[in-house]
Amino acid sequence: MPSYKGRDACEPSSFASNPYDDFMKKHLSYYGYYTGRNRERTKTSPLFNDFNRTHGYQLGSSEEEDKQQDANTDAKSKQLEYRFEDGRLVSRLREPRQLFAITNPTLGPQQLPRWPAELEVAIERIKHSFNSPPTKEPFYIKCGQELQPTLVSLEEGRTVFELQNLSSPFFLHSRVGGSKSELKQASVELNGPDDSTLQFESRFESGNLAKAVQIGEFSYELWLRNDLYTNKHTQWFYFQIKNTRKGQKYRFTICNFMKSNSLYNDGMKPCYYSEKDNKTMGLGWRRMGSDITYYKSNYSYASGKTERPYYALTFTQTMSHDNDVIYLAHCYPYTYSDLQSYLNDMVEDEKKSKFCKLRILTRSLAGNLVYLLTITSPYNEQQPTVGKKAVVVTARVHPGETNGSWMMKGLLDYLMGESADAKLLRDTFIFKIVPMLNPDGVIVGNYRCSLAGRDLNRNYKTQLTDSYPTIISAKTMIKKLLLEREVVLYCDLHGHSRKQNVFIYGCENRMDKSKRLHERIFPAMLGKNCPDKFAFDECSFKVQKGKEGTGRIVMWNMGIANSFTMEATFCGSSVGNKKSCHFNMKDFESMGYHFCDTLLDYCDPDKTKVGHISSTCL
């Protein structure tokens, strides 16, 4: 679209250099548009100018292109190009630039993450080892003597880390690398090598920590940032700590949770990563911490006309090294860049690229790519694609539910593997997979919302394409798919903050008696295939009025009987051999394998297993 950038539309010089714009100006002026009435108001309004920059952004894949955009925000888009053909000057429309294709062959699917332009980014990318712990990690067992510290006032403590407040109440525009202003010091500077103050940082991909207040030599109160452009949703945390002391026990109290209960009261430990442990022993993310409790604090916040209490999580961590770099997180991080690296490896693999095609489904509000994978065996006369049924799997509509990405990784690893069952799945089905529905939220470290400040999984019924492009595009893709073939199953992968195990939410069919309880067969079979992680008793199949905007219910109303949300706990298992132990990354990945294995059982032409489940479990 032409980009007018707030100029006076009746001013001839603003259109003279572009025949298309000149034609549109004359055409619309004839019908009474572009009278120039609001020229002065729009030219002097900073919000109007920011809005224009948002809707005129150029979706480049390099920071250099963003610098050019910032240097000339009034540059108009040129829709026409001119070429001499047979001695004549011929005009034609330009090809769309970097909209739905991967244009840089050296990067594959890589594009640098785009951030809200007001956010500072201190570290471009952090890479962690994906090694899982070699042994089981048991839940924390309470002794009854855990402390519940009274939170001190912010004036009493010493602020050692603090992010700047956002300048705008809503998202305006994005840039690669975030703010172009000079990076400000957010953490305190040390007063020499004997200064034992911890240094904090969260201005990196998926990071979330707004403030750290030192209330004792080795005690800190931490405040999380709300989801951007909202005043709630504090759950996800992920931050860096430097200047540690070997053998020293530190107390951390996260002060502003909003949920009244948490898995931290059921034995869950925070995730801990040490760079020195990784270098010396090859250790990755682990569950660590002691003296853990989650409780109602003495602080509150305004919710409408009422005051609601904040809830606090307090725990201690004993450091293993001097001057280590430590990371603490709510769950094992999986960033947008992690996904891009995974997809890049897939694209470069000649075998996998034969049956897995990567496309761009759409772009997010910030201009980040939303990927669509199509996985199926290549066409041949023995295995035509016409009669194949489809399976749709999505993840990370809620950005803080990283366990969804680990399950997705396990599913993709299995589907693109060389086993006979993987090949049979590709021969039998066409898989449509959207591995990250909310890349903006993932990048900025949100827990639940997109940059629109809304929960995308409550807006599948919306028609507001500009506010929810990823949801609209996913829904449109599935609608078209339903016109072509039967979709045998839809599943959206999530994380759950209050229950243990893995379980499924489905949609009960009460209208057709011949299909009564049919939606429970797949979850019941999954429980049989994975008895140490999946709990069929925790599954629910209610269609609640307050959940009518979720992907699960909207897809069910579109005609997909097996429409599910698969929820994985942030903690661990209460059943089978994994009872009272945390799930690690490999455990979450294994759920992707069990999902595929169960799909084969469910669609087996021999209905013995289905019949057995129907007669014994339902």
Side-chain angles (χ1 to χ4, degrees), residues 180-347:
K180 62 180 178 180
S181 302
E182 183 179 354
L183 187 67
K184 298 177 178 62
Q185 183 76 21
S187 187
V188 294
E189 294 185 4
L190 301 178
N191 296 320
D194 295 331
D195 189 343
S196 61
T197 304
L198 293 180
Q199 293 183 300
F200 295 83
E201 184 58 85
S202 64
R203 294 172 296 174
F204 50 81
E205 199 173 341
S206 294
N208 190 320
L209 178 68
K211 179 183 285 190
V213 179
Q214 187 178 25
I215 60 173
E217 186 177 3
F218 302 108
S219 184
Y220 296 84
E221 289 184 352
L222 311 176
W223 294 79
L224 305 182
R225 176 184 51 73
N226 296 332
D227 279 9
L228 288 188
Y229 314 114
T230 78
N231 59 0
K232 53 187 176 180
H233 303 303
T234 50
Q235 183 77 29
W236 169 255
F237 61 88
Y238 174 33
F239 53 88
Q240 180 192 80
I241 301 172
K242 290 183 176 180
N243 198 40
T244 61
R245 294 294 184 266
K246 182 178 180 179
Q248 181 60 53
K249 180 184 288 187
Y250 295 86
R251 176 169 291 277
F252 301 104
T253 303
I254 302 178
C255 304
N256 59 329
F257 288 109
M258 296 183 178
K259 292 185 178 182
S260 59
N261 198 10
S262 171
L263 287 167
Y264 288 109
N265 274 339
D266 296 328
M268 180 167 145
K269 298 178 183 179
C271 291
Y272 170 96
Y273 187 97
S274 161
E275 286 196 354
K276 287 194 173 181
D277 282 346
N278 177 253
K279 290 178 181 178
T280 58
M281 296 181 283
L283 297 175
W285 284 98
R286 292 168 286 165
R287 297 284 187 169
M288 293 182 66
S290 58
D291 199 11
I292 302 170
T293 191
Y294 185 93
Y295 62 99
K296 183 165 69 174
S297 79
N298 53 301
Y299 270 66
S300 61
Y301 65 97
S303 178
K305 296 181 179 179
T306 63
E307 290 282 322
R308 293 191 176 185
Y310 278 124
Y311 292 83
L313 166 68
T314 187
F315 59 95
T316 61
Q317 290 280 2
T318 302
M319 303 303 177
S320 303
H321 304 277
D322 287 325
N323 297 313
D324 198 359
V325 179
I326 299 296
Y327 296 88
L328 295 178
H330 182 57
C331 191
Y332 314 106
Y334 193 96
T335 66
Y336 181 64
S337 293
D338 289 334
L339 172 66
Q340 288 186 311
S341 295
Y342 181 90
L343 297 178
N344 193 55
D345 291 341
M346 181 205 72
V347 169

Side-chain angles (χ1 to χ4, degrees), residues 336 364 368-370 396 399 436-444 470:
Y336 181 64
S364 64
N368 290 299
L369 301 178
V370 180
R396 292 303 283 281
M436 193 170 283
L437 276 166
N438 190 352
D440 295 348
V442 172
I443 289 168
V444 302
T470 61

Side-chain angles (χ1 to χ4, degrees), residues 118-136:
E118 59 186 318
L119 283 190
E120 293 185 325
V121 182
I123 306 172
E124 287 189 3
R125 185 182 178 190
I126 293 173
K127 294 183 180 180
H128 297 298
S129 167
F130 288 171
N131 295 340
S132 288
T135 59
K136 293 181 180 180

Side-chain angles (χ1 to χ4, degrees), residues 58-72:
Q58 299 174 7
L59 300 176
S61 60
S62 69
E63 189 169 1
E64 189 61 35
E65 291 180 12
D66 278 316
K67 290 179 181 177
Q68 293 174 5
Q69 178 185 353
D70 290 326
N72 185 15

Side-chain angles (χ1 to χ4, degrees), residues 98-103 108-110 336 339-340 343-344 346-347 352-364 368-376 412 416 430-437 439 473-474 477:
Q98 296 189 14
L99 285 179
F100 298 102
I102 298 166
T103 59
Q110 296 274 13
Y336 181 64
L339 172 66
Q340 288 186 311
L343 297 178
N344 193 55
M346 181 205 72
V347 169
K352 293 179 181 178
S353 60
K354 290 180 180 178
F355 50 75
C356 181
K357 301 303 178 185
L358 178 65
R359 297 289 183 267
I360 307 304
L361 177 67
T362 187
R363 287 185 183 264
S364 64
N368 290 299
L369 301 178
V370 180
Y371 300 100
L372 171 66
L373 285 76
T374 302
I375 301 176
T376 192
L412 291 173
M416 294 188 290
I430 295 177
F431 290 87
K432 295 286 186 178
I433 295 175
V434 185
M436 193 170 283
L437 276 166
S473 297
M477 178 270 292

